[in-house]
């Protein structure tokens, strides 16, 4: 039975979303990742969702996105977003954009239905991920003369407390994917991640990281975020060197602690499987709502992260019985 997906519909939310290829096959070469990168920004613009950061790899991708509160969208903005996703009418709908504008001006039943259909796809994480994955699948299958499913399952997501230490920690974990995979020593050198795009000057990528750091200037954001990534500031990468999984397990068993930057260079399952990540009060609120809606986890409490580093006040909704790091 599919587990109910925890969503917020009346308040701002942030999600860490993950999707993997079928059988974990390494299908995405640099060209495919470039197309997926372009589609990511395009679909996010259409859906009104802010990409805070991301990482695209050969067999999976990570996204950290902010979903604003849903509000009525003016016709001019609906048309702009529609043109982003469908910049050119098809050969069967050569006048489609003009027809839509005319219908909206007349404000008849067709306009009401068109607004309803478009609005239903905006401001919601599920349609955003569905559109992104479907559009990329169509391109990939056509480009590689294949058919059938490309993705192993429906995307997995973790609800992250917005505007918090949780969001910054998750962002750093995502941007460090290329370091964990051995693709780069510094994520700024890996083209297919949010941090590298921000360093390269992409406005939307910079805005995502600036949101994470409380709306500071780009210069202040860059300095603070690199300190989070590397632990000791922009110039020192040794302090945040990769820790081998077996070494990390030994530290855990010995009750020792490591710098957060070092821990984030390991695959931390709590950051992808914990369901909700945030301060204890935030996770408790989501647990209570989840219990009301599903009847499950009525007696659950927020689960602390293992004391391997200073996580601040972070907790998760779902504890893990299996190995926590690998």
């Amino acid at each position: 039975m599919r587990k109910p997906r925890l969503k917020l519909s009346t308040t701002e939310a942030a999600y860490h979303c993950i999707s993997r290829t079928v059988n974990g096959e390494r299908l995405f070469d640099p060209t495919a990742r470039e197309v997926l990168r372009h589609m990511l920004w395009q679909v996010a613009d259409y859906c009104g969702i802010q990409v805070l950061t991301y990482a695209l790899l050969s067999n999976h991708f990570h996204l950290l996105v902010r979903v604003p509160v849903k509000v009525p969208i003016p016709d001019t903005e609906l048309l702009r977003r529609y043109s982003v996703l469908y910049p050119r009418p098809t050969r069967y709908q050569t006048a489609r954009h003009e027809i839509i504008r005319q219908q909206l001006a007349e404000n008849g039943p067709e306009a009401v239905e068109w607004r309803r259909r478009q609005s239903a796809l905006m401001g919601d994480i599920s349609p955003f991920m569905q559109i992104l994955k479907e559009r990329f699948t169509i391109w990939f299958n056509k480009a590689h003369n294949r058919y059938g499913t490309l993705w192993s399952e429906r995307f997995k997501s973790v609800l992250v407390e917005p505007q918090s230490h949780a969001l910054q920690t998750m962002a750093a974990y995502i941007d460090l994917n290329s370091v964990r995979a051995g693709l780069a020593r510094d994520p700024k050198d890996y083209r297919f991640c949010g941090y590298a795009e921000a360093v390269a000057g992409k406005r939307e990528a910079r805005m995502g990281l600036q949101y994470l750091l409380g709306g500071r200037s780009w210069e202040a954001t860059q300095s603070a975020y690199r300190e989070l990534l590397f632990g000791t500031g922009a110039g020192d990468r040794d302090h945040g060197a990769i820790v081998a999984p077996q070494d990390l397990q030994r530290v855990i068993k010995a009750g020792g602690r490591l710098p957060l930057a070092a821990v984030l260079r390991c695959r931390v399952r709590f950051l992808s499987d914990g369901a909700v990540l945030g301060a204890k009060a935030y996770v408790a609120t989501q647990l209570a709502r989840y219990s009301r809606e599903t009847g499950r986890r009525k007696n659950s409490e927020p689960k602390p992260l293992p004391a391997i580093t200073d996580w601040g006040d972070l907790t998760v909704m779902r504890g893990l019985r299996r190995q926590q790091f690998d």
Side-chain angles (χ1 to χ4, degrees), residues 93-265:
Q93 298 176 323
T94 54
R96 182 63 174 160
H97 290 179
E98 289 71 16
I99 290 173
I100 292 172
R101 289 190 182 89
Q102 181 180 346
Q103 290 174 343
L104 290 174
E106 295 171 354
N107 201 29
E110 297 88 352
V112 173
E113 177 60 18
W114 186 85
R115 289 191 195 101
R116 185 197 66 78
R117 289 198 310 270
Q118 301 306 313
S119 297
L121 299 174
M122 299 176 184
D124 191 321
I125 191 65
S126 293
F128 164 71
M129 289 295 289
Q130 181 179 356
I131 294 171
L132 175 61
K133 291 172 67 174
E134 284 183 351
R135 288 173 74 88
F136 181 73
T137 298
I138 291 170
W139 172 85
F140 189 87
N141 283 355
K142 183 176 180 180
H144 294 82
N145 195 28
R146 72 185 293 276
Y147 60 91
T149 185
L150 178 62
W151 307 101
S152 63
E153 58 189 358
R154 192 170 185 260
F155 74 95
K156 181 168 63 175
S157 68
V158 175
L159 179 64
V160 184
E161 182 177 6
Q163 297 178 321
S164 71
H165 173 56
L167 211 56
Q168 296 173 17
T169 302
M170 188 69 85
Y173 178 72
I174 290 171
D175 273 316
L176 287 166
N177 261 265
S178 61
V179 177
R180 286 197 298 278
L183 300 173
R185 288 193 65 220
D186 187 327
K188 75 175 176 57
D189 300 323
Y190 183 69
R191 175 173 175 77
F192 306 108
C193 73
Y195 178 60
E197 277 214 81
V199 171
K202 186 173 179 67
R203 177 176 173 271
E204 292 82 359
R206 289 187 171 186
M207 289 175 63
L209 295 185
Q210 286 176 271
Y211 175 85
L212 291 170
L213 275 295
R216 307 183 196 183
S217 68
W218 169 243
E219 290 73 18
T221 294
Q222 162 123 311
S223 176
Y225 194 60
R226 281 190 71 77
E227 185 168 350
L228 177 61
L229 289 172
F230 296 117
T232 56
D236 187 355
R237 288 177 292 212
D238 293 335
H239 187 67
I242 296 175
V243 180
Q246 61 271 21
D247 294 337
L248 183 57
Q249 292 299 327
R250 281 197 293 269
V251 173
I252 294 172
K253 290 179 181 178
R257 293 165 71 86
L258 288 169
L260 178 61
V263 174
L264 292 178
R265 280 163 173 73

